[in-house]
Amino acid sequence: MGLDDFVFTLGRYCQQHFGQRVQKLTLDAKFTCPNRDGTLGRGGCTFCNVASFSHEPSTQLSIADQLTGGKQRLRAKADKFLAYFQAYTSTYEEYALLKQRYDEALQVADLVGLCVGTRPDCVPDSVLALLADYQQQGYEVWLELGLQTANNDSLKRINRGHDYAAYHDAVMRARKLGLKVCTHLIFGLPGETLNDHQQTLARVLDSGVDGLKLHPLHIVDGSTMAKAWRAGRLVPPTLDEYVTSATDIIRRTPNDVVFHRVTAYTKPPMLLAPQWCASRWTGLVGIVDNLAEFGGQGSLLSI
């Protein structure tokens, strides 16, 4: 058995929606972030080093070339593809440049839509309208909002630069236009417990959400958290702790919410800790085993 047996994954959703296998192709569109360029601050969120987003030296390639290379690597696993604007803040730029980059992606053969990763405080109405227009043209469009936690104290500690109200506002405006929202959450942030994760999920569900992406906190070289970890002031989650939180949240999530990811990994030497995050499979196997034993997505909602 695999994750699809217990969770409404993006793969299952795409198979139902398109009748074909669909994979995300990760892009670096050379955008920046208001938390790095001085608008809100410098240095970014304490957990972030954007180099950890990319596992290949492709950042100098054009959008079209990145997508073409990604298609060649994944052709055996997929029939169609989604362009995933991942690195930094992919709605934080002049409207004309954003449209140019999105259009370039959608002109590549076998692309069926866009996934646009961004911050809740960087989604002006004009950009939401642009994404909604692509959706009206028949493209699959996901707005991916990096919330990480609904705890405002935690958001301050990680230097996020926005509060939960900014997230709620962005979700309301996006869903009013019919856009699908996927929310990113990090488990293992300093000072947070399972109860914090449960409260975050409750608030996210209350705002309305179509998809979730779960990440374990892991310490990457070049981040502010790396300094705290080296000084012994920060301990990332163990595998058991992460599996407990992730599976609890999965079981509390309604069955129609799509999970784009339930764990994440980073390769050394970028990864400093925890070492279990160096493997694509370690966290996933732990999650699947737990779900097989104790119940899958939505199972806690019927109790």
Side-chain angles (χ1 to χ4, degrees), residues 260-288:
H260 288 227
R261 179 181 289 171
V262 298
T263 188
Y265 77 104
T266 297
K267 294 180 180 179
M270 179 65 66
L271 175 71
L272 299 179
Q275 288 307 304
W276 64 267
C277 284
S279 168
R280 178 194 298 267
W281 303 110
T282 303
L284 183 61
V285 169
I287 287 170
V288 170

Side-chain angles (χ1 to χ4, degrees), residues 96-211:
L97 180 58
L98 291 174
K99 187 175 188 305
Q100 176 188 330
R101 299 280 168 83
Y102 301 157
D103 286 348
E104 183 180 356
L106 292 173
Q107 289 169 8
V108 174
D110 298 324
L111 264 290
V112 295
L114 302 172
C115 298
V116 179
T118 189
R119 296 166 53 92
D121 54 346
C122 292
V123 282
D125 289 340
S126 59
V127 176
L128 292 179
L130 175 62
L131 296 177
D133 183 63
Y134 290 128
Q135 185 166 272
Q136 290 166 8
Q137 294 176 43
Y139 291 109
E140 179 77 7
V141 178
W142 285 85
L143 179 69
E144 300 204 20
L145 294 177
L147 172 61
Q148 321 312 348
T149 175
N151 184 315
N152 282 333
D153 290 335
S154 293
L155 290 171
K156 289 180 182 178
R157 280 196 296 269
I158 62 176
N159 194 39
R160 190 66 186 158
H162 66 76
D163 58 11
Y164 183 80
Y167 166 83
H168 179 77
D169 173 70
V171 171
M172 293 298 100
R173 289 184 292 113
R175 288 171 64 84
K176 185 176 181 180
L177 294 176
L179 288 169
K180 291 183 286 293
V181 174
C182 174
T183 301
H184 295 207
L185 303 177
I186 294 178
F187 297 154
L189 292 171
E192 292 211 342
T193 65
L194 177 58
N195 184 62
D196 291 294
H197 307 157
Q198 292 169 348
Q199 290 185 23
T200 287
L201 177 68
R203 298 190 74 181
V204 166
L205 293 177
D206 185 60
S207 292
V209 72
D210 305 281

